[in-house]
C-alpha cells in the first residue's frame, strides 16, 4: 500500500501538498502531518489555527494541538497554550512519552520553553481587529454563530500500513478562557490505530466529545466498515442519539482513512471541504455535504466554493 493524506478545509491544500511530498520521500505519517500542519499554523490568513488564530473573549489566543501514532498507540497533546509558535511540534515531541504526554496551560508552556520551542505573539492585527469588533457586539460566546471563526486543521495520513492523525486549532472564537474542545483529546478530535484506521474531526468540540467521534469511527472500521461507511454511520448514529436526548447538534465534520487504503468523510453541514492526495493522485478539493454525499470539487463548483 502506498501513501495518502486527508486534511480538513481548503486552508490545508498547500499543507496536504507538503505532507504528500514528505511521504513521497519516505517520511513517516507523523513527519508528514507535522509539516502539513506547520504550513497552516504559520499562515496568518487562517483565523482558526496557530499564528493569526482568533482569541478568546479576553483577547488572548489559546491554542490546542495533538498527534497520535497509530502504530505504537502513543500520543501527545497540549491545550490552552499561549505564545507557542507551532503547537503541533510540541505535541509531536510529547508523543515520544508514555506518561506526561498531554499537558495544559502553563505546564505545557514551561515544557515547551525548556525544550527550546519557539515562542511569539500569536495575535495578529487582523485577529485583534476582529476581536474588538465582535467583543463590542457580543459579550456572550454562546450566541456566536458557528463558523464565525473556528475550524480545526486536522490531518490523517498513511505511509504503507502506518497510520497517524494530528490536529491544531485556536478553538472557538470568543471562548471562555481555559475552554478546551475536542481537538487535543484523544478519541474526540483524533484517533489512530494502524490495525484499523485513523480519524479526525472539526466543528463544535463539545458536540464531538459527546460521542467520542474519532474513536467511534476507528472502532467502526475495526469491525469491518470502510472509512466512508464508518464516518457516515458514526455521524448519523450520533445525530440520532443527540436528537433523542433533545440536544441540537452544531457543525460537525469528520475524516478518516481505513487500513485497506480507503478514505471517508461526513458532515452535518451543507458543505464541508477537505483535501485528499495519495501516491497516484495530486491534492484535490473534495466536498462532503449532509445531503449530497462526498464528491470531488471540479470546474464551476470549485471556483464558486470560497469558504474554508
Ligand atoms: N473543534 C474545535 C474546537 O471545538 C473547533 C473547530 O474545529 O471548528 O475547539
Amino acid at each position: 500500500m502506498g501513501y495518502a493524506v486527508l486534511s480538513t478545509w481548503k486552508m490545508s491544500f498547500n499543507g496536504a501538498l507538503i505532507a504528500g511530498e514528505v511521504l513521497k520521500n519516505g517520511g513517516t505519517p507523523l513527519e508528514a502531518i507535522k509539516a502539513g500542519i506547520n504550513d497552516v499554523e504559520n499562515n496568518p490568513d487562517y483565523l482558526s489555527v496557530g499564528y493569526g488564530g482568533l482569541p478568546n473573549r479576553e483577547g488572548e489566543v489559546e491554542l490546542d494541538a495533538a498527534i497520535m501514532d497509530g502504530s505504537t498507540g502513543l500520543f501527545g497533546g497540549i491545550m490552552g497554550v499561549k505564545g507557542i509558535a507551532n503547537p503541533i511540534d510540541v505535541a509531536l515531541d510529547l508523543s515520544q512519552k508514555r506518561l506526561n504526554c498531554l499537558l495544559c496551560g502553563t505546564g505545557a508552556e514551561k515544557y515547551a520553553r525548556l525544550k527550546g520551542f519557539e515562542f511569539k505573539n500569536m495575535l495578529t492585527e487582523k485577529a485583534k481587529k476582529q476581536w474588538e469588533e465582535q467583543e463590542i457586539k457580543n459579550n456572550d460566546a454562546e450566541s456566536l454563530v458557528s463558523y464565525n471563526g473556528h475550524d480545526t486543521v486536522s490531518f490523517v495520513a498513511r505511509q504503507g500500513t502506518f497510520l497517524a492523525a494530528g490536529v491544531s486549532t485556536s478553538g472557538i472564537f470568543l471562548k471562555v478562557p481555559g475552554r478546551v474542545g475536542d481537538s487535543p483529546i484523544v478519541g474526540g478530535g483524533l484517533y489512530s490505530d494502524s490495525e484499523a484506521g485513523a480519524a479526525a474531526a472539526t466543528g463544535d468540540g463539545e458536540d464531538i466529545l459527546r460521542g467520542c467521534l474519532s474513536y467511534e469511527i476507528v472502532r467502526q472500521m475495526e469491525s469491518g466498515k470502510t472509512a466512508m461507511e464508518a464516518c457516515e454511520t458514526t455521524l448519523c448514529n450520533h445525530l440520532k442519539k443527540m436528537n433523542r436526548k433533545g440536544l441540537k447538534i452544531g457543525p460537525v465534520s469528520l475524516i478518516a482513512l481505513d487500513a485497506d487504503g480507503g478514505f471517508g468523510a461526513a458532515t452535518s453541514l451543507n458543505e464541508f471541504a477537505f483535501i485528499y492526495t495519495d501516491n497516484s493522485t495530486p491534492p484535490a478539493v473534495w466536498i462532503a455535504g449532509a445531503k449530497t454525499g462526498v464528491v470531488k470539487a471540479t470546474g464551476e463548483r470549485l471556483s464558486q466554493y470560497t469558504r474554508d
Side-chain angles (χ1 to χ4, degrees), residues 5 10 25 28 30 44 57 88 91 103 141 155 160 170 178 192 207 293:
V5 178
K10 280 170 71 178
N25 293 326
T28 68
L30 297 165
R57 60 175 74 176
I88 194 68
L103 302 180
F155 271 69
S170 53
S192 180
D207 287 338

Side-chain angles (χ1 to χ4, degrees), residues 10-301:
K10 280 170 71 178
M11 65 179 164
S12 70
F13 189 94
N14 197 47
L17 187 74
I18 294 168
E21 286 299 313
V22 171
L23 294 167
K24 190 197 252 174
N25 293 326
T28 68
L30 297 165
E31 289 162 345
I33 288 169
K34 171 195 148 40
I37 289 182
N38 282 165
D39 182 72
V40 184
E41 286 179 334
N42 293 338
N43 192 324
D45 291 336
Y46 301 138
L47 296 172
S48 55
V49 178
Y51 183 56
L54 289 168
N56 66 21
R57 60 175 74 176
E58 290 180 3
E60 290 194 294
V61 182
E62 286 181 322
L63 303 164
D64 309 320
I67 194 159
M68 185 168 187
D69 177 328
S71 291
T72 60
L74 291 169
F75 68 88
I78 55 174
M79 49 181 117
V81 297
K82 295 173 194 159
I84 296 180
N86 292 106
I88 194 68
D89 293 8
V90 185
L92 181 59
D93 182 277
L94 285 164
S95 76
Q96 318 291 314
K97 300 168 182 293
R98 190 179 70 82
L99 299 175
N100 296 299
C101 54
L102 183 61
L103 302 180
C104 71
T106 50
E109 289 157 17
K110 189 172 175 187
Y111 178 87
R113 258 184 233 289
L114 281 171
K115 285 283 202 148
F117 287 100
E118 186 191 343
F119 276 69
K120 68 180 182 189
N121 176 13
M122 300 299 275
L123 184 66
T124 58
E125 279 307 310
K126 187 175 167 187
K128 191 173 169 205
K129 193 160 171 277
Q130 196 148 327
W131 172 71
E132 283 165 351
E133 284 164 7
Q134 279 287 342
E135 248 277 309
I136 298 157
K137 280 194 276 181
N138 207 325
N139 287 316
D140 175 16
E142 296 287 325
S143 61
L144 268 181
V145 189
S146 293
Y147 287 84
N148 194 358
H150 71 96
D151 284 335
T152 299
V153 64
S154 306
F155 271 69
V156 286
R158 150 196 357 273
Q159 178 70 284
T161 55
F162 182 175
L163 291 165
V167 301
S168 185
T169 189
S170 53
I172 292 183
F173 181 31
L174 296 188
K175 64 190 174 186
V176 171
R179 177 264 182 194
V180 177
D182 61 305
S183 303
I185 308 295
V186 166
L190 75 167
Y191 199 80
S192 180
D193 173 0
S194 296
E195 290 174 12
T202 174
D204 285 354
E206 293 78 352
D207 287 338
I208 294 163
L209 284 172
R210 281 183 185 97
C212 299
L213 295 185
S214 293
Y215 179 74
E216 177 59 18
I217 294 169
V218 175
R219 203 189 63 79
Q220 297 271 351
M221 293 190 285
E222 192 166 26
S223 67
K225 287 203 165 48
T226 64
M228 199 66 85
E229 289 164 349
C231 287
E232 282 164 3
T233 306
T234 297
L235 183 64
C236 183
N237 289 346
H238 188 53
L239 293 177
K240 279 193 206 148
K241 182 171 279 201
M242 291 302 117
N243 198 26
R244 286 200 297 275
K245 291 180 193 288
L247 204 66
K248 197 175 168 324
I249 293 291
V252 169
S253 301
L254 307 165
I255 55 170
L257 290 174
D258 58 46
D260 298 322
F263 74 92
T267 186
S268 65
L269 291 167
N270 288 336
E271 288 197 338
F272 156 63
F274 63 94
I275 313 300
Y276 178 74
T277 180
D278 63 24
N279 43 291
S280 54
T281 50
V285 179
W286 289 70
I287 295 167
K291 297 205 178 87
T292 52
V294 173
V295 290
K296 197 170 183 175
T298 49
E300 207 178 321
R301 190 172 165 82

